[in-house]
Amino acid sequence: MRLQTTLALAAAFALAGAAHADTELVIATVNNGHMIEMQKLTKYFEQANPGVKVKWVTLEEGVLRQRVTTDIATKGGQFDIMTIGMYETPIWGKKGWLQELKPDAAYDVDDLLPAMRNGLSVDGKLYAAPFYGESSMLMYRKDLADKAGVQLGDHPTWTQVKDLAAKIHDPKNGVYGICLRGKPGWGDNMAFITTLANTYGGQWFDAGWKPQLESKPWKDATNFYVDLLKNYGPPGSSANSFNEILALFNAGKCGMWVDATIAASFVSDPKQSKVADKVAFAQAPTAVTPKGANWLWAWALAIPSGSKKVPEAQKFISWATSKDYIALVGKTNGWATVPTGTRKSTYENADFLKAAKFAPAEKAAIDSANPNDSTLPKSPYVGVQFAAIPEFQAIGIAVGQQMSAALAGKTSVDAALKASQTAADREMKKAGYYK
């Protein structure tokens, strides 16, 4: 009898073990500060949801994109939740590769900032929930502008920015007028350069999907960019991306910087920045049109359509992108460290507004970015600093290399744009957009 009882108990434990294994959520994510913080706080989710265990696969951004793209395209089923962006979400949602998200009423989907919700939806259906969101804006040294006798309003023009860069550029004393991305990549230098081309009245593709890289707006924007950095930027700009410029800015070496709004929390943090008390914020500069002058991005959580654990995955995503999660981070680590750019309620929170002097400028930038209407001539694609089509990744990488070469003086702007047009044309023809 005792043996039978022992066997029965062993069987019960085995079943429990199997059930337990069934509720392990495997999440692929990017290796950045906000995501690492989420991993530390996951214990609170597990405590509230006994029987559900979370396993993290943390990857560098480029590797993450490769792994999740391969997994979802081959229906590999490695991941129950993926961290993806605004580029992938509309493409994969349309292909039926993602589960539609249907959070409950307590989640308050209407609290999501409209730009974020729209950018992660297809035909009004939400396919990814924003964990943190960003636009781009101008961060500048107010002390240097005051010394030069220049007042920048909330909506500066690129002409005003160039004039101020010339006045505050002082390389002998280690201060460069302006720092901008130059490192090649579709999400690197091309994120910035696309917004510049947009505000000059340009677009990636016309209504018939023909690339427009040799158009007047692209020529004007690229010449302006190269001249600006050659005259008033730091040496080696063609190798600089977000992290390199953040280090320069925090060391007091950049007079101005146009980049992701997420940078504002770092440059205004006295623990990280020597110039924290001297920084002011404005909207991304404009040229011919305000359309598409500032980008829009979100790192978001999504469920691949092949997942066998949709209810548990939905539960985790609802927790990690909720008002309660933001409050948990605020309480645990301080309100200046919460993931921003996702919810209206964050920008109505007195604790957050007190800790984040950049908050009004950040929200204004996000609210003004419209991925469905980001260019002066009508475009057939969705996206501000990218076109949400599968071919864009390869095109953006090729063009980014040409732009970086022009900035480094290895080729002329005209030659770089001609080579870019040829590369884009080849990809679009190959994909069957036109003959």
Side-chain angles (χ1 to χ4, degrees):
M1 191 70 184
R2 188 175 293 170
L3 179 62
Q4 285 176 315
T5 307
T6 307
L7 288 170
L9 280 170
F13 281 127
L15 281 169
H20 177 78
D22 284 344
T23 52
E24 180 181 72
L25 288 177
V26 182
I27 306 178
T29 196
V30 66
N31 189 11
N32 70 29
H34 282 312
M35 299 301 181
I36 289 163
E37 196 48 50
M38 176 171 42
Q39 292 173 43
K40 288 180 192 166
L41 296 174
T42 298
K43 62 186 179 191
Y44 292 102
F45 170 78
E46 290 177 340
Q47 282 163 14
N49 295 274
V52 181
K53 292 287 172 204
V54 177
K55 181 185 174 188
W56 291 93
V57 179
T58 310
L59 304 161
E60 183 271 324
E61 189 174 323
V63 181
L64 172 81
R65 285 188 202 289
Q66 207 176 4
R67 286 273 301 273
V68 299
T69 304
T70 304
D71 189 59
I72 204 158
T74 59
K75 295 187 168 58
Q78 274 186 296
F79 307 114
D80 301 300
I81 296 172
M82 296 173 162
T83 304
I84 62 174
M86 273 197 185
Y87 169 64
E88 297 92 347
T89 304
I91 298 171
W92 294 357
K94 265 185 198 153
K95 283 180 181 280
W97 289 357
L98 300 174
Q99 290 278 353
E100 181 190 348
L101 297 183
K102 295 176 181 175
D104 61 23
Y107 181 78
D108 193 4
V109 78
D110 292 331
D111 185 49
L112 295 177
L113 294 173
M116 293 297 152
R117 188 174 172 182
N118 295 339
L120 297 169
S121 297
V122 179
D123 300 328
K125 293 176 179 177
L126 190 68
Y127 283 97
F131 181 66
Y132 77 82
E134 65 182 38
S135 182
S136 53
M137 65 179 175
L138 174 68
M139 296 158 276
Y140 68 99
R141 288 276 299 278
K142 181 80 166 55
D143 59 324
L144 298 180
D146 288 348
K147 197 175 165 188
V150 175
Q151 276 198 314
L152 281 183
D154 288 338
H155 296 274
T157 65
W158 274 110
T159 304
Q160 289 170 327
V161 165
K162 185 181 181 180
D163 291 346
L164 179 55
K167 288 187 170 110
I168 62 178
H169 187 59
D170 186 10
K172 280 182 186 168
N173 289 306
V175 177
Y176 304 99
I178 190 162
C179 297
L180 298 167
R181 294 186 187 199
K183 188 179 183 179
W186 73 265
D188 238 310
N189 62 342
M190 292 320 299
F192 171 74
I193 293 169
T194 301
T195 61
L196 191 63
N198 290 342
T199 194
Y200 267 90
Q203 61 186 154
W204 271 98
F205 310 102
D206 68 10
W209 288 104
K210 291 270 169 65
Q212 298 296 298
L213 293 156
E214 288 187 285
S215 63
K216 185 178 184 296
W218 270 91
K219 285 188 176 178
D220 290 347
T222 310
N223 276 308
F224 177 85
Y225 164 76
V226 169
D227 289 345
L228 185 66
L229 282 178
K230 275 186 178 171
N231 290 320
Y232 312 118
S237 281
S238 62
N240 284 348
S241 184
F242 180 90
N243 288 330
E244 291 81 9
I245 300 172
L246 178 63
L248 285 169
F249 197 99
N250 282 349
K253 294 181 178 179
C254 296
M256 288 183 281
W257 182 23
V258 179
D259 212 301
T261 51
I262 204 82
S265 59
F266 307 135
V267 299
S268 57
D269 177 3
K271 290 179 196 153
Q272 300 182 48
S273 171
K274 282 185 185 174
V275 294
D277 59 339
K278 299 176 175 69
V279 188
F281 306 96
Q283 297 305 292
T286 57
V288 175
T289 174
K291 282 193 175 191
N294 51 302
W295 73 57
L296 188 70
W297 185 255
W299 277 119
L301 301 176
I303 307 170
S305 57
S307 173
K308 304 282 190 290
K309 301 162 194 169
V310 174
E312 292 88 353
Q314 172 72 71
K315 221 176 241 189
F316 181 86
I317 290 175
S318 292
W319 172 79
T321 62
S322 67
K323 295 178 200 176
D324 288 346
Y325 177 83
I326 292 167
L328 176 65
V329 178
K331 194 175 77 176
T332 311
N333 301 316
W335 276 93
T337 68
V338 301
T340 60
T342 59
R343 287 182 169 272
K344 298 171 194 171
S345 53
T346 304
Y347 296 90
E348 291 158 5
N349 183 294
D351 293 323
F352 173 66
L353 294 174
K354 192 177 163 189
K357 63 176 182 176
F358 56 84
E362 178 183 56
K363 184 171 185 292
I366 290 168
D367 286 347
S368 69
N370 184 353
N372 297 304
D373 183 23
S374 63
T375 57
L376 194 54
K378 194 152 176 56
S379 293
Y381 55 86
V382 172
V384 182
Q385 77 281 20
F386 57 83
I389 57 170
E391 297 72 26
F392 180 77
Q393 207 163 328
I395 293 169
I397 289 167
V399 177
Q401 285 163 345
Q402 292 295 331
M403 298 295 104
S404 194
L407 183 57
K410 292 175 184 170
T411 186
S412 69
V413 166
D414 281 357
L417 289 171
K418 187 177 182 184
S420 297
Q421 177 72 18
T422 303
D425 197 49
R426 186 173 58 241
E427 284 290 333
M428 296 303 276
K429 276 182 179 167
K430 193 169 79 180
Y433 283 83
Y434 53 84
K435 288 179 182 173

